[in-house]
Coordinates of all heavy atoms in Angstrom, one line a residue:
M216 N 62.1 -22.1 24.3 CA 61.3 -21.3 23.4 C 61.3 -21.8 22.0 O 60.4 -21.6 21.2 CB 61.7 -19.8 23.5 CG 61.4 -19.1 24.8 SD 61.7 -17.4 24.8 CE 61.1 -16.9 26.4
A217 N 62.5 -22.4 21.7 CA 62.6 -22.9 20.3 C 61.5 -24.0 20.0 O 61.0 -24.1 18.9 CB 64.0 -23.5 20.1
D218 N 61.1 -24.7 21.1 CA 60.1 -25.7 20.9 C 58.7 -25.1 20.6 O 57.9 -25.7 19.9 CB 59.9 -26.5 22.2 CG 61.1 -27.5 22.5 OD1 61.9 -27.7 21.5 OD2 61.3 -28.0 23.6
W219 N 58.5 -23.9 21.1 CA 57.3 -23.1 20.9 C 57.3 -22.3 19.6 O 56.3 -21.8 19.2 CB 57.0 -22.2 22.1 CG 56.6 -23.0 23.4 CD1 57.5 -23.4 24.3 CD2 55.4 -23.3 23.9 NE1 56.9 -24.1 25.3 CE2 55.6 -24.0 25.1 CE3 54.1 -23.1 23.4 CZ2 54.5 -24.5 25.8 CZ3 53.0 -23.6 24.2 CH2 53.2 -24.3 25.4
G220 N 58.5 -22.1 19.1 CA 58.6 -21.3 17.9 C 58.4 -19.8 18.2 O 57.8 -19.1 17.4
I221 N 58.8 -19.3 19.4 CA 58.5 -17.9 19.8 C 59.8 -17.3 20.3 O 60.8 -18.1 20.7 CB 57.4 -17.8 20.8 CG1 57.8 -18.6 22.1 CG2 56.1 -18.3 20.3 CD1 56.8 -18.5 23.2
D222 N 59.8 -16.0 20.4 CA 61.0 -15.3 20.9 C 60.8 -14.9 22.4 O 61.8 -14.5 23.0 CB 61.3 -14.1 20.1 CG 61.6 -14.4 18.6 OD1 62.4 -15.4 18.4 OD2 61.2 -13.7 17.7
Y223 N 59.6 -14.8 22.8 CA 59.3 -14.4 24.2 C 57.9 -14.9 24.6 O 57.1 -15.3 23.8 CB 59.4 -12.9 24.4 CG 58.3 -12.2 23.5 CD1 57.0 -11.9 24.1 CD2 58.6 -11.7 22.3 CE1 56.1 -11.3 23.3 CE2 57.6 -11.1 21.5 CZ 56.4 -10.8 22.1 OH 55.4 -10.2 21.3
F224 N 57.7 -15.0 25.9 CA 56.4 -15.3 26.4 C 55.7 -14.0 26.8 O 56.3 -13.1 27.4 CB 56.5 -16.2 27.7 CG 57.0 -17.6 27.5 CD1 58.2 -18.0 27.9 CD2 56.2 -18.5 26.8 CE1 58.6 -19.3 27.7 CE2 56.6 -19.8 26.6 CZ 57.8 -20.2 27.0
D225 N 54.4 -13.9 26.5 CA 53.6 -12.8 26.9 C 53.4 -12.8 28.4 O 53.5 -11.7 29.1 CB 52.2 -12.8 26.3 CG 52.2 -12.5 24.8 OD1 52.9 -11.5 24.4 OD2 51.6 -13.2 24.0
L226 N 53.2 -14.0 29.0 CA 53.1 -14.1 30.4 C 53.7 -15.4 30.9 O 53.4 -16.5 30.3 CB 51.6 -14.1 30.8 CG 51.3 -14.4 32.3 CD1 51.8 -13.3 33.2 CD2 49.8 -14.5 32.5
Y227 N 54.6 -15.3 31.9 CA 55.3 -16.5 32.4 C 55.0 -16.6 33.9 O 55.2 -15.6 34.6 CB 56.8 -16.4 32.2 CG 57.6 -17.6 32.3 CD1 57.2 -18.8 31.6 CD2 58.8 -17.7 33.0 CE1 57.9 -20.0 31.7 CE2 59.5 -18.8 33.0 CZ 59.1 -20.0 32.4 OH 59.8 -21.1 32.5
V228 N 54.5 -17.7 34.4 CA 53.9 -17.8 35.7 C 54.6 -18.9 36.5 O 54.8 -20.0 36.0 CB 52.4 -18.0 35.6 CG1 51.8 -18.3 37.0 CG2 51.7 -16.8 35.0

Side-chain angles (χ1 to χ4, degrees):
M216 288 187 177
D218 289 347
W219 292 85
I221 58 177
D222 298 320
Y223 63 87
F224 289 112
D225 288 312
L226 175 64
Y227 199 46
V228 174

